Amino acid sequence: CHVSMSLPSASQSRLKYVSLGVLVLQTTSLVLTMRYSRTLLGEGPRYLASSAVVSAELLKILTCLLLVFYDHSFSVRALNRVLNEEILNKPMETLKLAIPSGIYTLQNNLLYVALSNLDAATYQVTYQLKILTTALFSVSMLGKRLGLYQWLSLLILMTGIALVQWPTESLGGPSSKPLSAGSQLVGVIAVLIACFSSGFAGVYFEKILKETKQSVWVRNIQLGLFGLVFGLIGVFVYDGERVRESGVFQGYNSLTWTVVALQALGGLVIAAVIKYADNILKGFATSLSIILSTLISYFWLKDFDPTSVFFLGAMLVIAATFLYGYEGKRPAINHSKV
Ligand code: C5P
């Protein structure tokens, strides 16, 4: 068995499916809230995206602190000891997290470049390539072994997502202005680099989590601290002028806080998914949530008209999910005998 380090117990396997399920719900609500917040533009200044990133990071760190506190039966002394021993007194361990954190910061900026140079459909479809780069990094860095069916299911997954997303966005009204070939190229290159950074940072975080003993919440605090530093630099570099004029929290409303909370929750759930499942399954959860949010947008918001290509794509994604699990189930059969 290639998962030699931690024998999956019944409760771990439950945590795996619970965390994947919560990730599907979290991603879906984040997409819908962001879309809703865009159609509901109030008067006054819009909130600064860079400031929302910092707020989400702060909220994530505070929640992780609370979780560590809970893990130590709400003893202030134990919390203090953990923070000192695990974070302050282990600068090299803490510094390891600067790598994924820096890469995620770079990635968020690349995706911004990509979205400014590509239409949303091309952007989203191309970004699905991260499913494959994630698999490649999982194989090369973690020594994960994928069977033929699993590689096949990843290809089917990518095809399915491409079909699901292409027609959706092209129906979404006339595009504002045609994009030049040069800017298209810049956009595509930005997405391609983001695909590699997403795969690498995710698998690097997984490697740290699975090869060392520190708790996932302590690791997330370390990641968040660097995220906070990079995020604050972002606020001052991009929006320094505007912050001086109208403050860091300008334009925040309850919807902004909802997006911030969902984003913070996302960081927590992704960390849990990487610990209890893995980065490849995270890709499947995200794909399922794309279908879920599209269906909600059809039945509820009524702003989407699904085509038969959408349904074909959705079927492929669901089929790929089962196909991937098909081989993965084999070790579980031995397990259920216990
Ligand atoms: O597109 P991708 O799946 O790579 O995006 C992952 C996102 O999750 C990044 O924005 C990253 O900042 C965030 N993340 C997090 N906490 C983790 C791992 C990832 O907030 N432990």
Side-chain angles (χ1 to χ4, degrees):
C1 176
H2 55 274
V3 207
S4 53
M5 272 176 309
S6 55
L7 268 182
S9 65
S11 82
Q12 268 210 319
S13 144
R14 211 184 56 206
L15 280 171
K16 171 171 154 183
Y17 290 108
V18 168
S19 63
L20 283 166
V22 177
L23 182 61
V24 173
L25 297 181
Q26 180 271 336
T27 315
T28 309
S29 7
L30 182 62
V31 169
L32 292 175
T33 320
M34 280 180 135
R35 186 184 294 183
Y36 182 63
S37 74
R38 244 185 295 152
T39 55
L40 238 185
L41 267 183
E43 59 282 356
R46 272 184 70 169
Y47 68 90
L48 307 172
S50 63
S51 143
V53 169
V54 170
S55 300
E57 211 67 66
L58 261 180
L59 191 59
K60 204 175 80 178
I61 296 174
L62 288 177
T63 316
C64 287
L65 282 173
L66 207 63
L67 287 166
V68 176
F69 199 32
Y70 168 82
D71 275 346
H72 293 83
S73 324
F74 294 109
S75 148
V76 180
R77 206 191 302 164
L79 177 68
N80 213 357
R81 184 179 50 78
V82 170
L83 295 183
N84 271 312
E85 283 179 9
E86 308 282 337
I87 299 178
L88 285 179
N89 295 344
K90 286 193 184 140
M92 289 322 283
E93 279 298 309
T94 304
L95 214 55
K96 274 188 191 167
L97 276 298
I99 297 173
S101 177
I103 292 176
Y104 277 137
T105 309
L106 180 79
Q107 177 178 321
N108 290 338
N109 287 294
L110 279 172
L111 293 178
Y112 178 77
V113 173
L115 261 177
S116 323
N117 288 291
L118 288 177
D119 62 278
T122 313
Y123 159 82
Q124 279 188 304
V125 171
T126 320
Y127 195 35
Q128 294 312 312
L129 207 60
K130 73 177 177 182
I131 296 172
L132 225 48
T133 55
T134 302
L136 290 176
F137 282 116
S138 301
V139 167
S140 61
M141 288 166 63
L142 295 171
K144 196 160 268 185
R145 295 229 226 123
L146 295 182
L148 182 65
Y149 286 129
Q150 287 172 312
W151 284 114
L152 198 64
S153 77
L154 290 174
L155 290 178
I156 297 175
L157 179 68
M158 285 189 20
T159 316
I161 288 297
L163 292 183
V164 162
Q165 284 180 336
W166 240 308
T168 318
E169 298 292 335
S170 58
L171 280 176
S175 50
S176 47
K177 59 169 191 255
L179 295 152
S180 73
S183 99
Q184 279 265 349
L185 186 66
V186 171
V188 168
I189 290 175
V191 181
L192 290 181
I193 302 176
C195 287
F196 278 92
S197 96
S198 166
F200 178 79
V203 172
Y204 186 95
F205 188 72
E206 184 174 342
K207 197 173 162 68
I208 290 181
L209 271 188
K210 294 186 174 164
E211 289 182 356
T212 57
K213 282 209 214 91
Q214 278 173 317
S215 90
V216 57
W217 308 128
V218 169
R219 287 308 195 184
N220 233 19
I221 294 173
Q222 293 172 317
L223 186 76
L225 288 175
F226 288 106
L228 195 60
V229 173
F230 292 130
L232 283 172
I233 295 175
V235 171
F236 288 105
V237 171
Y238 293 122
D239 295 316
E241 198 63 38
R242 266 170 284 194
V243 167
R244 246 162 280 142
E245 274 164 21
S246 316
V248 183
F249 295 115
Q250 57 183 293
Y252 270 56
N253 54 29
S254 54
L255 214 51
T256 316
W257 284 113
T258 311
V259 171
V260 164
L262 282 172
Q263 232 143 18
L265 176 69
L268 298 172
V269 180
I270 285 178
V273 162
I274 292 178
K275 176 172 169 76
Y276 297 113
D278 61 35
N279 274 290
I280 298 178
L281 286 167
K282 164 175 160 286
F284 279 90
T286 320
S287 308
L288 288 176
S289 90
I290 291 172
I291 294 178
L292 189 59
S293 60
T294 316
L295 287 178
I296 292 178
S297 135
Y298 168 62
F299 284 112
W300 205 356
L301 307 175
K302 302 211 173 0
D303 64 350
F304 164 65
D305 188 15
T307 60
S308 44
V309 179
F310 170 83
F311 283 110
L312 177 64
M315 301 285 278
L316 285 180
V317 170
I318 292 164
T321 309
F322 281 105
L323 185 62
Y324 187 88
Y326 176 66
E327 258 204 345
K329 275 217 177 93
R330 279 188 196 159
I333 294 171
N334 301 333
H335 205 70
S336 59
K337 283 192 204 146
V338 182

